[in-house]
Amino acid sequence: MFHATTILAYKSEKGAVIGGDGQVTFGNCVFKGNATKIRTLYHGKVLSGFAGSTADAFSLFDMFERILENKKGDLLKSVMEFSKEWRKDKYLRRLEAMMIVLDREHIFILSGTGDVVEPEDGKIAAIGSGGNYALSAARAMDRFGSNLEPKDLVLESLKIAGELCIYTNQNIKILEL
């Protein structure tokens, strides 16, 4: 069984941030500790991160980036078009990956079944094995008036996830808009 990744994204008036740990595990072994699972898209205006099979995720990144270019960086139109293409393609429907994409206005989770989900609060999303731990920590810090900058909120939330989830490590990378 393949487990990997904790990706957390946070959007506020101060900016947009995505972070991810570096751990990839296979069964009960750490396969790699310094993987990069986040990146910028569309000339640095969109942030993205993936969880799941690396090969599948790169296929999704490439497809999404092509659509994003065609839609001139419009994230909302791009995720809708991406979902349509994903659902039509028999190969894509079998991919074992999820993505988070965000810009300064929107944040979305793109599921392995072609679903597009906007978080209920419109500002915090997480995926991966440790996603729920990171999401809980981020919600608590956000809800109870933490004075942390968005980058620090994501970093601290991922550190908490790394303390709890055996599939998450402390080798954290952060990107921000």
Side-chain angles (χ1 to χ4, degrees):
M1 179 146 198
F2 185 82
H3 292 282
T5 313
T6 300
I7 303 295
L8 176 67
Y10 179 71
K11 182 181 70 64
S12 74
E13 304 80 35
K14 294 181 180 180
V17 179
I18 195 165
D21 77 314
Q23 185 160 297
V24 177
T25 56
F26 192 77
N28 60 358
C29 296
V30 174
F31 196 64
K32 184 175 181 173
N34 64 345
T36 301
K37 305 166 202 171
I38 58 173
R39 67 189 211 187
T40 60
L41 303 173
Y42 195 70
H43 315 291
K45 295 178 182 175
V46 174
L47 302 175
S48 61
F50 73 88
S53 166
T54 305
D56 289 352
F58 285 126
S59 295
L60 297 176
F61 269 139
D62 290 344
M63 180 182 163
F64 186 74
E65 197 159 30
R66 177 181 45 79
I67 292 169
L68 194 60
E69 287 289 331
N70 289 340
K71 300 293 182 187
K72 297 180 175 35
D74 186 316
L75 189 58
L76 181 58
K77 288 180 181 178
S78 297
V79 297
M80 294 311 196
E81 182 65 27
F82 181 74
S83 179
K84 287 179 194 174
E85 284 193 34
W86 196 334
R87 287 173 183 257
K88 288 178 187 175
D89 191 300
K90 289 179 184 179
Y91 169 73
L92 290 176
R93 288 192 310 241
R94 294 186 191 151
L95 296 183
E96 296 179 8
M98 293 180 79
M99 292 174 58
I100 294 177
V101 293
L102 72 153
D103 60 15
R104 291 183 181 267
E105 296 176 33
H106 301 285
I107 183 170
F108 298 102
I109 297 171
L110 309 177
S111 79
T113 57
D115 295 320
V116 174
V117 179
E118 187 171 17
E120 187 173 339
D121 63 8
K123 59 183 176 178
I124 306 172
I127 57 174
S129 301
N132 286 334
Y133 300 111
L135 180 63
S136 296
R139 282 183 178 171
M141 284 187 246
D142 181 66
R143 188 173 294 156
F144 294 105
S146 168
N147 291 327
L148 293 174
E149 291 295 316
K151 178 180 179 180
D152 296 324
L153 185 142
V154 168
L155 178 63
E156 293 305 317
S157 298
L158 286 168
K159 284 181 181 179
I160 290 169
E163 293 170 5
L164 300 171
C165 178
I166 61 171
Y167 301 111
T168 304
N169 69 13
Q170 301 287 324
N171 187 354
I172 297 167
K173 294 179 174 68
I174 305 278
L175 295 172
E176 59 186 320
L177 296 177

